[in-house]
Amino acid sequence: MDKIILTGDRPTGRLHVGHYVGSLRRRVELQNSGEYKKVYIMIADAQALTDNIENPEKVRQNIIEVALDYLSCGLDPAKTTLLIQSQIPELCELTFYYMDLVTVSRLQRNPTVKNEIQMRNFEASIPVGFFTYPISQAADITAFKATTVPVGDDQLPMIEQTKEIVHKFNTVYAPVLVDPQALLPENEACMRLPGIDGRAKMSKSLGNCIYLADTADEVRKKIMSMYTDPQHLQVSDPGHLEGNTVFTYLDAFCRTEHFGRYLPEYADLDELKAHYRRGGLGDVKVKKFLNNIVQEELEPIRERRKMFERDIPAIFEILKKGSEAAREAAAQTLSEVKSAMRINYFEDAELIREQAAKYEEGQG
Ligand code: TRP
């Protein structure tokens, strides 16, 4: 079977290094691997609206931010279809039919949705659209017959829900839908990159993110202010790696070749960690090393962003073309779904003949 990728992001803000190590970097590799027949990357604006009803302007403004971040990371419209979710009405139709295959109690058990409901204080007033977004996400994934969905582990419940819908649909109707697999980030640090303050999650409101669009100077300042080990007061003190943001970032960003370039006294990250643990290695030195690595990685992204920022209409054109191509693929799946459900009346010559025959008998 042809391998197809689909994944996406809610356009609620600029993308940061957490998105980068958690998914963006990988997407570019997958795109360039030649292993996938199609790669679809979706700006999930309709999903963003499910918990931003009061903030449509935020979603609207961030379409271009996310698109710029995608392109500057190296997603290439010649190889990857970039699309905007709301421009594919077929997704709504699929969602509507899938709703019959899912129970309310099943949705209530979705841990990610549960958690989000808590975070947003939705308890007593959950929008139906928000509550059912896992079903709409199943439509996103199945519409493109995705085999592979690169996501963080917070999205596993959505993939699980999608698989259940696929199995149910294929059993009740006909084997039309493709069973997708999640593709998780390469390690724990990439999966959960903390904010620069050491808090579990990077978030705009906490002001603890390093954005892909930050200047070199902003990035350096943020890295130099990073939370490390509060017990590591003197260089000679033994240091701890657990919860030490700088080392978590190194786990996500550092490759052995970086030592040759920026810190030749050490062979690899294990040696650096061992020295830190023993004592005698200062935070500033490690932070400078991290800064070199992160700058090396972000510099070309920043440069490409500047280039793309010069022609914004061209980016909307890319999104329009991508959405049109995506719509064709989704329409094909929807047509197969409707045939399988036997609601394709006008293309169903047999149905028409059968109904006609029934009434002919009566008249005869
Ligand atoms: N729920 C995803 C997020 O919050 C965004 C998303 C929407 C998505 N549709 C998708 C991810 C389909 C993967 C596949 O980041």
Side-chain angles (χ1 to χ4, degrees), residues 6-10 42 44 47 133 137 140-141 149 151 155:
L6 176 118
T7 187
D9 302 276
R10 296 180 192 180
M42 165 186 287
Q47 187 177 107
Y133 92 73
Q137 193 157 332
D140 300 342
I141 295 168
V149 187
V151 281
Q155 296 296 306

Side-chain angles (χ1 to χ4, degrees), residues 33-56:
S33 72
E35 270 186 54
Y36 294 86
K37 183 170 163 242
K38 291 271 180 200
V39 181
Y40 294 97
I41 309 284
M42 165 186 287
I43 301 181
D45 61 336
Q47 187 177 107
L49 287 169
T50 64
D51 64 342
N52 280 287
I53 324 108
E54 314 292 334
N55 268 322

